[in-house]
Amino acid sequence: MRNKGSFARGSLIALILILLPVVAFSAQKVTPGSTCKVHKQKVTYQKMVFTCTKSGKKLVWSRGVTILKPTPSPTSTPSPTSTPSPTSTPSPTSTPSPTSTPTSFENLVENSAGIPFAAWSKAVEQITFSKSALGNPTVIIGPNTALSYKTPLVSLNLTSALYGSIKQVDNVYLIYYSLKDIVWAQGEFDKLNNNSTSGAGAALNNCRTESTCWGASSWVNAKGDGLLLIAVGVQDTNHTSGSLESHEYTHTIQMFQAPISYFSLPRWMLEGGAHWSQGAATYHQNFSDYLEERKRNTGELFSNPSIYTAQWLAEFLNPNPATNWAYWATYENYRLYDVGLLATEALVALKGPETFMHLYTDVGSGQSFLQAFEKKYGLAWSEAVSIIAQTIEAEINS
């Protein structure tokens, strides 16, 4: 493995790291903090999953993570009224019981309270027992830039494992830059993007001033490489937890499945799918943290339930999606993210994250979105969209 291009000494830092996670297995005794040998190896010991992580230059076992579904009391089942509201986040003990988990479109609305846990559980299972399919990553840091999130490849590997059986880019480049490095970042991006006019001005768009230097964008170039252009400035949870990296890497998976025809899928799927993925991957170890991330990203919907009725939501989700995304230009842009997140979460709760991502794969193979959706979910989109809209309405009014 080698760096792409040459750079003046001291002008930037280039790191090329390859993580090789393996499927968790049992029977090996593990002590947290003790030395391990294979980076990202997962081991199940005494009903806990331990991960081989980096600590400085050493590889050591992490603290164990217990991954168990909460067992409900035999005498009581939480009602939909115990669904987390936008103003309070319940502890894992108030997680919806398995009896409220949706299993089909027929009971999705009535079991809307169980959607967050059902989707999160499927993500946890996928990440824990799947291998990362991350290709060759290169992290490039600008000469005047310091990372807010120090371990970006951890985030990329978690997100990759979330969609582990799905083909992903062979090479991915992460370009980090601050306000002082905009010209440098655009130059690096242009070289990796084969000097294509696509993406011209992208670095500036992500970072126009010190207080607005927080954006990121994703691309797949003509060679099939993933490019992540990430501005470093604002220090918030999204920029210090790895969720931003997760969001952008998800976009490369989406685009890699359907490099031309991904415009034929609803636009909310692109942003909502990435928004859900970042929460599921980043906070797969703790359901309460997942709910906090969910609340941060959907709070406006829960605060204005009278606006976002089932009729409004069905029209937004659009039963006959336009192929050029112009349909969604009349809506506030962030609805692509928060409404899209809740719609994605409902679909993942039913069929898991990989089935949702395979909609991109099928469309990339020549199917229409309507054909791919009915094939994967067993119901015409024109019928499903009404149910999803009613489900989201039930959630934000709970």
Side-chain angles (χ1 to χ4, degrees):
M1 223 58 60
R2 59 188 178 85
N3 291 342
K4 302 293 184 180
S6 60
F7 308 96
R9 181 178 181 183
S11 64
L12 58 90
I13 303 171
L15 304 176
I16 304 178
L17 303 174
I18 302 174
L19 304 183
L20 301 173
V22 298
V23 177
F25 58 91
S26 303
Q28 177 176 341
K29 183 177 180 180
V30 174
T31 302
S34 63
T35 302
C36 54
K37 296 181 179 180
V38 181
H39 193 204
K40 293 299 293 179
Q41 176 183 347
K42 294 180 184 294
V43 171
T44 301
Y45 176 66
Q46 293 184 340
K47 297 182 179 181
M48 302 183 78
V49 176
F50 298 83
T51 304
C52 185
T53 60
K54 281 192 174 182
S55 177
K57 296 183 179 181
K58 297 173 58 179
L59 293 177
V60 298
W61 290 114
S62 67
R63 291 183 299 172
V65 177
T66 302
I67 303 177
L68 297 174
K69 288 187 177 182
T71 303
S73 166
T75 59
S76 64
T77 299
S79 69
T81 57
S82 65
T83 303
S85 72
T87 57
S88 64
T89 301
S91 66
T93 57
S94 64
T95 299
S97 74
T99 58
S100 66
T101 299
T103 57
S104 69
F105 281 105
E106 291 181 355
N107 60 27
L108 190 65
V109 178
E110 65 186 89
N111 292 327
S112 61
I115 289 174
F117 183 70
W120 177 80
S121 296
K122 285 181 169 61
V124 170
E125 182 178 7
Q126 181 69 26
I127 291 171
T128 304
F129 299 106
S130 175
K131 291 183 179 181
S132 168
L134 185 67
N136 303 318
T138 303
V139 179
I140 309 171
I141 307 172
N144 301 291
T145 301
L147 294 187
S148 302
Y149 175 61
K150 307 297 184 183
T151 55
L153 299 191
V154 171
S155 175
L156 264 59
N157 272 279
L158 288 171
T159 309
S160 178
L162 185 61
Y163 302 104
S165 71
I166 294 176
K167 178 64 177 175
Q168 299 170 31
V169 295
D170 289 332
N171 302 289
V172 58
Y173 298 87
L174 295 83
I175 304 171
Y176 288 91
Y177 65 102
S178 60
L179 187 63
K180 295 180 180 180
D181 291 331
I182 288 178
V183 175
W184 169 87
Q186 188 67 50
E188 295 303 311
F189 173 81
D190 289 344
K191 285 189 292 185
L192 292 169
N193 201 30
N194 312 117
N195 293 312
S196 168
T197 56
S198 174
L204 179 61
N205 290 338
N206 293 338
C207 180
R208 291 190 175 275
T209 67
E210 197 69 50
S211 62
T212 60
C213 193
W214 54 267
S217 49
S218 311
W219 312 79
V220 174
N221 66 16
K223 296 194 300 182
D225 297 330
L227 311 179
L228 276 59
L229 194 60
I230 303 175
V232 177
V234 175
Q235 301 288 309
D236 61 13
T237 302
N238 196 37
H239 293 78
T240 59
S241 65
S243 60
L244 180 64
E245 284 81 357
S246 176
H247 183 109
E248 298 304 331
Y249 184 69
T250 300
H251 283 327
T252 70
I253 302 175
Q254 294 166 330
M255 290 184 282
F256 193 70
Q257 307 312 302
I260 297 175
S261 52
Y262 76 90
F263 289 103
S264 299
L265 292 100
R267 190 178 178 191
W268 59 261
M269 281 185 61
L270 191 82
E271 298 298 354
H275 231 36
W276 176 80
S277 298
Q278 71 179 53
T282 305
Y283 301 104
H284 71 286
Q285 293 183 322
N286 189 300
F287 182 56
S288 291
D289 290 342
Y290 172 82
L291 290 181
E292 283 287 353
E293 171 77 353
R294 183 180 187 264
K295 183 171 67 175
R296 280 192 294 269
N297 291 328
T298 60
E300 187 174 344
L301 300 178
F302 283 84
S303 298
N304 298 281
S306 63
I307 297 175
Y308 304 109
T309 63
Q311 180 180 348
W312 187 99
L313 290 161
E315 290 175 356
F316 174 82
L317 293 171
N318 192 16
N320 296 295
T323 58
N324 62 2
W325 290 355
Y327 178 86
W328 287 276
T330 59
Y331 291 92
E332 184 178 350
N333 188 62
Y334 195 69
R335 298 293 80 82
L336 298 169
Y337 295 78
D338 53 12
V339 174
L341 184 157
L342 294 181
T344 299
E345 187 180 58
L347 293 173
V348 172
L350 293 178
K351 294 284 189 176
E354 291 195 322
T355 296
F356 180 79
M357 186 62 75
H358 272 305
L359 291 173
Y360 282 90
T361 309
D362 290 350
V363 169
S365 298
Q367 297 180 37
S368 70
F369 166 70
L370 301 180
Q371 291 170 330
F373 185 88
E374 187 165 3
K375 175 184 176 183
K376 284 290 184 285
Y377 288 91
L379 186 69
W381 171 246
S382 58
E383 298 177 62
V385 67
S386 176
I387 298 172
I388 295 171
Q390 293 175 58
T391 300
I392 296 175
E393 181 186 54
E395 290 184 272
I396 65 179
N397 279 279
S398 61

